[in-house]
Amino acid sequence: MDAHPGLLTIGQLAQRTGLAARTLRFWSDEGAVPPVARSASGYRLYDAASVARVELVRTLRELGLGLDEVCRVLDGGTTVADVARAHIAAIDARIRSLKVSRAVLSTVSKRDSTAEETALMNRLARLSATERLRIIDDFKADVFGGLDLEPRLRDRIRDLRIDLPDDPTPDQVDAWIELAELTQDPDFRTRMRTFLLLSTPAPGHPRPPGSTIWWARQVVEAVAEARSRPGDPAPLIAGLFGDADLTEVLACLEAGLAADMEKYRILVSRVRGQRASRDATDDLRWLAAALRNAVAA
């Protein structure tokens, strides 16, 4: 040691930095903190610059860099900024993955799901953007394909995009899982197509009676208001549908209820991160009962 005044042994470097000698020895072996000299007995020796280097290595390690990356930074093979940008991207990806995991676990806990259901939900949540798009495109092709639609409505359906953003919230992931399950259900697709056949106008024709129930929220609000004032619903029905064939109106309404249109609408809004209007299923069931009574009268 006398031949190297002012230098530190690895034990002294450990005391100076608060790190274990074992850790410093490993870093030294990997080339991150090489000794500046060796004693006559072969012990590693370090100087004041080594202390600063140790602090930098510790900082980079705490930020998640591997020792190979640390060495490249210290040797000038890359910059801290470049490594930081790469790690930001990796951390963001990890955060997204953790959010997905949390959403899946939250859904599992609420549904009391089986192992098979849990595996399915996890798979649906982790689909790529292309795979998610394929599910929705397949749903649209099965439900809307071959319908004689007016051009504007056909274009809206074609351009309809339902997908998760790059950084979804747990609620969006939860809604996507439920929507993916729903849209892949053959029975749901059949019920949805039946509803569309009854409620979608063909080119050059007026909108079928009752279809406004599903496309105009003011109808729902009028029903909710009528429910709050007990009495004869006949004035409401007359005001909403005029001289339309109530049998056709009822058929359209019941088809929409059978197709879980409100559930579908709300799930789509949640996936998109939009605030959905309230679930009006109970109001619409009340209206269906009133229409059945009117038709039977």
Side-chain angles (χ1 to χ4, degrees), residues 3-292:
H4 302 282
L7 296 185
L8 305 171
T9 65
I10 200 164
Q12 292 169 327
L13 182 62
Q15 289 181 332
R16 183 77 65 88
T17 60
L19 289 167
R22 179 178 64 253
T23 299
L24 293 172
R25 192 171 291 110
F26 175 66
W27 287 0
S28 181
D29 290 342
E30 294 297 314
V33 188
V36 297
R38 286 188 178 265
S39 69
S41 302
Y43 292 110
R44 306 177 222 215
L45 300 175
Y46 302 89
D47 59 10
S50 300
V51 176
R53 189 175 176 104
V54 166
E55 293 300 335
L56 177 56
V57 173
R58 171 159 50 190
T59 298
L60 295 176
R61 291 288 288 152
E62 287 175 349
L63 289 172
L65 275 68
L67 272 181
D68 56 336
E69 293 174 306
V70 171
C71 290
R72 288 204 306 274
V73 170
L74 295 173
D75 294 340
T78 186
T79 66
V80 174
D82 287 339
V83 174
R85 280 189 286 269
H87 273 262
I88 287 172
I91 289 170
D92 286 344
R94 179 60 177 158
I95 289 172
R96 287 194 294 270
S97 178
L98 288 172
K99 284 183 177 180
V100 169
S101 296
R102 186 189 186 285
V104 172
L105 290 171
S106 176
T107 303
V108 168
S109 67
K110 287 186 290 187
R111 296 189 188 182
D112 193 21
S113 305
T114 65
E116 292 78 10
E117 291 169 336
T118 300
L120 172 62
M121 286 187 284
N122 188 54
R123 182 182 65 79
L124 291 174
R126 297 184 187 281
L127 292 175
S128 68
T130 300
E131 290 169 326
R132 292 194 300 267
L133 184 61
R134 188 178 301 122
I135 287 177
I136 298 302
D137 283 347
D138 182 60
F139 165 72
K140 289 193 294 185
D142 200 16
V143 171
F144 297 97
L147 291 181
D148 188 17
L149 305 175
E150 58 183 13
R152 187 175 62 175
L153 181 57
R154 184 174 60 248
D155 291 343
R156 284 181 59 191
I157 293 170
R158 182 196 61 210
D159 296 336
L160 176 65
R161 185 171 180 83
I162 307 169
D163 195 12
L164 291 171
D166 291 336
D167 187 18
T169 65
D171 183 67
Q172 285 176 301
V173 176
D174 181 67
W176 162 253
I177 292 170
E178 194 168 353
L179 182 65
E181 290 176 317
L182 184 66
T183 55
Q184 292 181 98
D185 179 0
D187 185 51
F188 170 73
R189 292 185 177 193
T190 298
R191 288 183 277 118
M192 176 69 87
R193 187 173 178 87
T194 299
F195 161 70
L196 290 170
L197 287 169
L198 290 170
S199 65
T200 306
H205 292 77
R207 191 177 291 278
S211 62
T212 52
I213 296 171
W214 299 102
W215 311 121
R217 298 308 294 179
Q218 59 264 36
V219 173
V220 170
E221 298 309 319
V223 173
E225 185 178 350
R227 285 186 68 195
S228 68
R229 300 193 312 268
D232 185 1
L236 170 70
I237 293 174
L240 289 176
F241 308 116
D243 58 358
D245 185 336
L246 295 185
T247 301
E248 293 184 25
V249 173
L250 178 60
C252 181
L253 174 56
E254 289 182 327
L257 286 168
D260 288 325
M261 277 296 297
E262 281 292 272
K263 179 180 181 179
Y264 173 76
R265 177 185 64 80
I266 291 171
L267 286 174
V268 169
S269 294
R270 286 175 57 199
V271 169
R272 290 174 165 175
Q274 300 168 341
R275 182 177 179 180
S277 52
R278 65 180 182 82
D279 186 342
T281 300
D282 288 343
D283 291 329
L284 296 175
R285 285 174 178 160
W286 179 90
L287 178 59
L291 283 168
R292 279 192 289 271

